[in-house]
Amino acid sequence: MPKRISLTRYLVEQQRMEGHIPPELRLLLEVVARACKRISQAVSKGALGDVMGSAESENVQGEMQKKLDIIANEVLIEANEWGGHLAAMASEEMEGIYVVPNRYPQGEYLLMFDPLDGSSNIDVNVSIGTIFSVLVKPEGTGVSEQDFLQPGTQQVAAGYCVFGPQTTLVLTVGDGVSVFTLDREQGSFILTEEDLRVPDDTKEFAINMSNQRHWAAPVTHYIDECMQGKDGPRGKDFNMRWVGSMVADVHRILTRGGIFMYPWDKREPEKAGKLRLLYEANPMSWLIEQAGGSATNGKQRIMDITPTKLHERVSVFMGSKNEVERVTRYHSAA
């Protein structure tokens, strides 16, 4: 059990003693954490806070927005735009980038986020969350969408916050994965786990089985083998888990192992996958890798992909290393 220190102290120690992060990044992460606390409060009010249900509008992805999608997006923008640490932000809920207004000082960082991942679960009280990623803005005057199109290897911080029975913040700054739990009485995130490790082997997989008829052959091959259990070629019984919000499924895998899969399917063959590379797949991939796991799109490491557009989509296979490597081999052999 790690010593019970606050997120602020943890980040100060990372800056002061370890030298992993500059002070500007520390302050930015504290602001993101405060925004997550505000989102957590809105989520926890549920129907009492008039935040449930649809906003009767669509985001840039063509997906119906929930009221909390819009609220969470606004909270993150308002919390981060004035601090002087950011040059611009990008979100799943916005078509283009949000440049910090001229009335505020501009910083050197770029922030990307999915403000409320798994929002289809809001109305049924299932865990949802916020995913974020931080990049350094390339040198030069001004800021453009092109500045965000960096591979995941360039991230300087990434994390997510799960709003469930507890509100949990999971963070990496490139030196392992740490977990913080919100102490609602103190109003502070407290360090509760350090150096999370994803076991190399697992008997659990997470995938939406209702899409099976649409999968490519390598995915079908992999799942068929798992479903045959200990009498099949894998020689062990697998369990399937599927929450339907990426933060919840990946958090389970970080906690106890498993493989999370959201593959390409033939319903939208022109799209490489469903999940967004910059603000979903990249931050989650870095967290998984920092915990000893692996993350690919079926053919290559996700974090090595150079994005070509802000809302680029990608297939995702991440989690326990040996399982990810197996399903990736099946794709390579196809």
Side-chain angles (χ1 to χ4, degrees):
M1 179 69 68
K3 56 185 177 180
R4 295 296 180 89
I5 63 174
S6 68
L7 172 66
T8 296
R9 179 175 169 183
Y10 172 87
L11 292 172
V12 168
E13 290 179 354
Q14 289 284 308
Q15 173 194 328
R16 182 187 296 157
M17 295 189 298
E18 305 295 340
H20 291 307
I21 59 174
E24 294 81 7
L25 180 57
R26 170 179 66 82
L27 293 169
L28 170 58
L29 293 173
E30 289 188 56
V31 173
V32 171
R34 285 200 296 272
C36 286
K37 284 192 286 186
R38 288 180 57 192
I39 296 170
S40 176
Q41 290 169 354
V43 170
S44 66
K45 289 180 181 178
L48 299 176
D50 192 29
V51 297
M52 307 291 279
S54 172
E56 301 302 328
S57 59
E58 291 185 351
N59 63 16
V60 64
Q61 321 292 337
E63 299 163 343
M64 187 61 66
Q65 290 176 306
K66 299 287 188 177
K67 291 179 182 179
L68 271 171
D69 284 320
I70 297 172
I71 292 169
N73 195 69
E74 291 175 350
V75 165
L76 282 159
I77 290 174
E78 291 172 3
N80 285 283
E81 66 179 353
W82 54 270
H85 318 303
L86 284 176
M89 292 175 261
S91 166
E92 178 179 350
E93 303 301 327
M94 302 186 297
E95 182 173 1
I97 66 172
Y98 180 91
V99 179
V100 170
N102 290 332
R103 63 183 179 274
Y104 302 123
Q106 277 201 0
E108 62 177 307
Y109 292 106
L110 305 172
L111 177 66
M112 295 163 289
F113 47 83
D114 179 352
L116 210 61
D117 177 75
S119 57
S120 61
N121 286 318
I122 290 170
D123 295 340
V124 294
N125 203 20
V126 172
S127 294
I128 53 180
T130 296
I131 308 171
F132 62 91
S133 172
V134 183
L135 297 168
V136 176
K137 186 183 85 69
E139 293 183 4
T141 57
V143 60
S144 68
E145 185 173 309
Q146 185 66 34
D147 293 330
F148 286 82
L149 304 183
Q150 303 179 41
T153 51
Q154 298 301 109
Q155 294 174 105
V156 293
Y160 62 82
C161 199
V162 182
F163 311 120
Q166 306 93 36
T167 293
T168 304
L169 176 67
V170 181
L171 176 68
T172 185
V173 290
D175 187 32
V177 178
S178 297
V179 179
F180 303 83
T181 302
L182 180 62
D183 185 326
R184 298 185 187 278
E185 294 178 355
Q186 295 185 26
S188 301
F189 280 107
I190 305 299
L191 180 66
T192 47
E193 290 184 80
E194 285 185 287
D195 299 321
L196 256 64
R197 303 303 295 173
V198 176
D200 291 343
D201 293 295
T202 184
K203 294 182 180 180
E204 286 190 354
F205 64 88
I207 194 169
N208 188 344
M209 290 291 290
S210 68
N211 294 331
Q212 185 169 11
R213 66 194 183 280
H214 305 299
W215 296 337
V219 181
T220 301
H221 177 197
Y222 175 81
I223 294 298
D224 283 348
E225 287 189 343
C226 292
M227 295 296 287
Q228 292 176 52
K230 61 184 178 182
D231 297 326
R234 299 303 310 278
K236 58 183 177 180
D237 290 326
F238 281 78
N239 290 323
M240 192 200 81
R241 299 287 185 265
W242 182 253
V243 178
S245 60
M246 188 185 192
V247 287
D249 281 308
V250 172
H251 186 67
R252 183 186 61 254
I253 287 166
L254 276 169
T255 302
R256 70 185 195 199
I259 178 171
F260 171 85
M261 294 171 281
Y262 213 129
W264 171 93
D265 70 49
K266 61 187 178 184
R267 289 172 299 173
E268 296 181 294
E270 75 285 356
K271 296 178 180 177
K274 171 71 172 177
L275 298 176
R276 269 63 59 152
L277 174 62
L278 285 171
Y279 41 83
E280 291 177 322
N282 270 341
M284 290 304 205
S285 294
W286 198 25
L287 287 162
I288 288 287
E289 288 191 5
Q290 283 290 307
S294 182
T296 78
N297 67 351
K299 296 184 178 180
Q300 69 177 114
R301 182 188 183 204
I302 286 174
M303 291 208 303
D304 285 337
I305 299 171
T306 300
T308 59
K309 53 186 177 181
L310 194 62
H311 300 291
E312 185 167 336
R313 298 175 186 254
V314 65
S315 295
V316 170
F317 303 87
M318 63 172 58
S320 294
K321 181 176 293 186
N322 290 339
E323 294 303 314
V324 174
E325 290 179 353
R326 177 181 288 269
V327 74
T328 302
R329 286 199 307 271
Y330 291 176
H331 280 82
S332 298

